[in-house]
Amino acid sequence: MYGGIRIVYKLYENRRAEELKMLAKYIASNDKCIAILGNKRGETGDLVVSRSCDVDIVVNGFFKEVLRVFDGKGGGNAYICQGGGSSDRLELAMTRR
């Protein structure tokens, strides 16, 4: 919990990217939640960041910087972003503040 916001941070292995996105949306359907979900698939790393409607953070405002950390490509909107890049630096990208 950070400032009254529940942060769900989880790193998976060998999940489908769509599964990660669905889980992030489910978490964000709860009040005051942020989901930061990563997935390692061999040399590829997937990252999804999502937030509840009542959390005043614009996710795509910082996501481009996070993508640079793990040589990723992707995008999204104010509520959810997703991208893929190097699995070696995924955990570093997930903890980027």
Side-chain angles (χ1 to χ4, degrees):
M1 189 80 77
Y2 182 79
I5 298 171
R6 180 175 292 123
I7 299 172
V8 178
Y9 172 94
K10 180 73 176 168
L11 180 61
Y12 296 97
E13 288 195 29
N14 298 315
R15 297 273 180 129
R16 293 178 305 126
E18 191 57 37
E19 184 180 0
L20 213 61
K21 186 176 176 182
M22 287 182 352
L23 181 57
K25 284 182 176 182
Y26 174 76
I27 292 167
S29 70
N30 294 284
D31 292 339
K32 300 225 182 256
C33 286
I34 295 176
I36 302 169
L37 306 178
N39 181 49
K40 289 185 176 184
R41 295 179 292 121
E43 294 181 13
T44 302
D46 303 308
L47 179 62
V48 179
V49 179
S50 183
R51 68 155 172 108
S52 304
C53 293
D54 59 354
V55 173
D56 191 24
I57 295 172
V58 178
V59 176
N60 61 347
F62 65 84
F63 196 70
K64 295 249 187 239
E65 180 182 331
V66 172
L67 288 173
R68 281 189 226 117
V69 173
F70 75 120
D71 299 322
K73 293 183 181 178
N77 58 42
Y79 297 96
I80 188 168
C81 290
Q82 67 181 36
S86 169
S87 66
D88 292 339
R89 301 192 61 178
L90 177 61
E91 289 180 76
L92 179 63
M94 290 176 69
T95 59
R96 185 79 176 183
R97 296 179 199 247

